[in-house]
Amino acid sequence: IRAASAPPSIGDEQYGGSVGSLAMPSISMVAQLPPGSGMDPGRMAALSSAWSRVAISFLGFVGPSLARAQPDDAELQVIPLLKQTLLNARVPTLLDGAEQGPHWARLVIEKLVSTLSNGVNSGAPLSIVQDAVSLVAKFFLQNVHALQRHAQFGQLWLMVLRLMLLFEKRGRDDRDAELEEIAAETLKNLLQVLLSMKVLGFVAKKGS
């Protein structure tokens, strides 16, 4: 399977306080994009940069908590918080509409993959790992148009693919059939969507 080379096409939310023993920073999702309206390119650029920097900082802040959280710990809410932050329905419009959107989308997906990979390899509780599977798949799909415009889209896709396989391996190593199945089915669905969108395609077999 190869990556296709041709490109296709934030109400304020506050997070603050603490989650278990994890002190959460007060975070304002600075971008507001009224649905269906245009925006000055300069403002779009500023908002995409600001949102991405906040998202990357947030990932860096919560990353260490993934490995130390216990199954009964309130820190298990870390992934739901990340989902609220990263999967906001207006983020794709923000990143796809800005000239530097592909650059910011790349930085966020790299930080997301790095954070989750470290968590999985450091022994994050299986319930957290299960919840993280859909997070990376959905963020990648929601922002695939912006990501595909990046010159390193192929490498970004392989990075996500390796993480999905890492999720499946963690389930297999820990004899957790549910995690293994979730990871495998999510990866299958991800591939099907990308193939149907022609983001990925099959390489013709070379003649002998």
Side-chain angles (χ1 to χ4, degrees):
I1 296 177
R2 60 170 175 80
S5 57
S9 97
I10 277 187
D12 286 340
E13 307 217 0
Q14 301 288 338
Y15 303 101
S18 63
V19 180
S21 59
L22 172 66
M24 302 298 293
S26 177
I27 294 181
S28 174
M29 296 298 99
V30 294
Q32 284 192 329
L33 293 177
S37 69
M39 181 176 288
D40 175 74
R43 178 166 172 74
M44 180 77 80
L47 290 178
S48 64
S49 170
W51 179 87
S52 301
R53 291 175 188 276
V54 170
I56 291 168
S57 296
F58 191 22
L59 284 164
F61 182 84
V62 303
S65 72
L66 296 180
R68 70 168 182 260
Q70 299 301 314
D72 296 328
D73 200 322
E75 289 180 349
L76 295 178
Q77 296 302 312
V78 166
I79 297 298
L81 279 173
L82 287 175
K83 287 183 176 180
Q84 291 178 35
T85 305
L86 300 179
L87 302 183
N88 186 296
R90 294 178 181 177
V91 169
T93 302
L94 186 65
L95 295 179
D96 195 34
E99 182 178 355
Q100 293 297 315
H103 167 72
W104 295 116
R106 171 205 167 191
L107 294 182
V108 175
I109 193 72
E110 286 181 340
K111 185 63 175 180
L112 176 60
V113 170
S114 173
T115 298
L116 295 180
S117 296
N118 289 337
V120 173
N121 289 326
S122 299
L126 292 173
S127 56
I128 284 184
V129 179
Q130 289 180 11
D131 209 14
V133 176
S134 62
L135 170 59
V136 65
K138 287 180 179 179
F139 183 82
F140 185 81
L141 284 179
Q142 286 184 359
N143 296 284
V144 70
H145 294 295
L147 290 168
Q148 197 179 5
R149 288 163 47 203
H150 198 284
Q152 296 182 356
F153 174 74
Q155 290 93 318
L156 297 174
W157 157 242
L158 291 177
M159 184 185 305
V160 171
L161 177 59
R162 283 193 292 268
L163 177 57
M164 299 302 294
L165 295 175
L166 181 62
F167 287 140
E168 186 175 5
K169 180 179 184 297
R170 173 68 187 276
R172 188 167 58 252
D173 291 346
D174 285 27
R175 294 181 171 81
D176 188 303
E178 184 178 6
L179 172 57
E180 189 175 357
E181 181 179 3
I182 288 173
E185 287 300 311
T186 301
L187 177 56
K188 183 175 75 172
N189 293 336
L190 180 59
L191 288 169
Q192 289 176 339
V193 172
L194 293 175
L195 286 168
S196 67
M197 294 173 65
K198 300 188 184 303
V199 174
L200 298 181
F202 293 99
V203 177
K205 185 178 180 180
K206 294 182 179 180
S208 56

